Amino acid sequence: MQSRLEKRCGDRELFWAVPALAGLIVFGFTTWAGAAPVGPSDWELATVIAGKDTGSEVEKKLGRTACLMPNATGDTISYLYNIAGQKGPYYLRLDVNGHVDAMTVSQDPPIAGVCYAPVHVSLSAKTGKGIELGATIDEVVKLYGEPTERFAVGPMARYRYVAMYHQSFEWDLVFRNGRLVEWTVATYE
């Protein structure tokens, strides 16, 4: 019994059609697999890279600090810095457990009532893609795309992005009156 394809095509055409079809499927799959995932892909702040840098690399890049805060189990250490800026000081928190698991830059201290050491090098509080505190919602969406989730109450808004790259990442951005006041990236294993 001949198939429809065999009835419409001769053996010679069928011989070339099958490899061509297989090639298209493989090409389509590899193109799809190689496509960039959707999300901010922005895990660098003040030269520190989330998911990569270790505590010693943080200290080399930003300077040693006496402002360290361990979590309850002692597994994660938070490095606390302040960065002098033209619009006032910014606060930087880096949570390290083997490598930088999370980092936050904000206009207000992420943890109140603890010390924040000055950064020992001159640097910008911009992310690797150029986002800085004070950016508008429109500027962030233009660069990062639409968020996975958004939530707003009065003058405050929170945008959350989740993406899988070489590992899972989450970005939380807080806006006050339409301006970015806090940017956080965290890794998840």
Side-chain angles (χ1 to χ4, degrees):
M1 174 145 232
Q2 287 185 323
S3 71
R4 283 187 183 178
L5 186 58
E6 290 173 322
K7 287 179 184 177
R8 295 185 83 178
C9 304
D11 289 336
R12 186 174 186 164
E13 289 85 7
L14 189 58
F15 175 78
W16 290 108
V18 171
L21 183 58
L24 284 173
I25 291 170
V26 169
F27 176 75
F29 178 76
T30 57
T31 301
W32 173 78
V38 176
S41 70
D42 194 6
W43 35 75
E44 181 180 333
L45 177 66
T47 73
V48 176
I49 301 170
K52 180 179 179 252
D53 286 346
T54 63
S56 62
E57 289 169 318
V58 167
E59 290 183 10
K60 286 178 194 172
K61 291 179 177 186
L62 303 179
R64 293 190 58 119
T65 178
C67 298
L68 297 172
M69 189 171 132
N71 71 355
T73 62
D75 297 334
T76 302
I77 302 292
S78 293
Y79 289 76
L80 306 170
Y81 295 96
N82 62 45
I83 301 171
Q86 294 175 346
K87 301 174 188 172
Y90 299 129
Y91 298 91
L92 179 60
R93 175 183 175 180
L94 305 165
D95 295 336
V96 179
N97 182 1
H99 62 273
V100 177
D101 289 327
M103 54 187 165
T104 299
V105 63
S106 63
Q107 288 181 343
D108 301 318
I111 303 174
V114 297
C115 70
Y116 285 84
V119 173
H120 298 287
V121 294
S122 177
L123 54 86
S124 172
K126 290 182 180 182
T127 71
K129 293 228 175 169
I131 294 291
E132 61 184 325
L133 297 182
T136 66
I137 290 174
D138 289 341
E139 291 169 334
V140 170
V141 170
K142 183 178 179 182
L143 187 62
Y144 284 178
E146 289 297 325
T148 307
E149 297 173 354
R150 63 177 81 197
F151 179 76
V153 174
M156 303 298 288
R158 179 178 298 268
Y159 280 37
R160 181 174 176 253
Y161 295 84
V162 178
M164 180 66 165
Y165 293 97
H166 52 282
Q167 65 188 70
S168 297
F169 285 89
E170 178 179 316
W171 292 262
D172 287 304
L173 291 84
V174 178
F175 299 89
R176 185 182 305 131
N177 297 319
R179 297 282 182 172
L180 185 64
V181 295
E182 182 176 291
W183 179 93
T184 300
V185 63
T187 64
Y188 296 98
E189 293 182 11

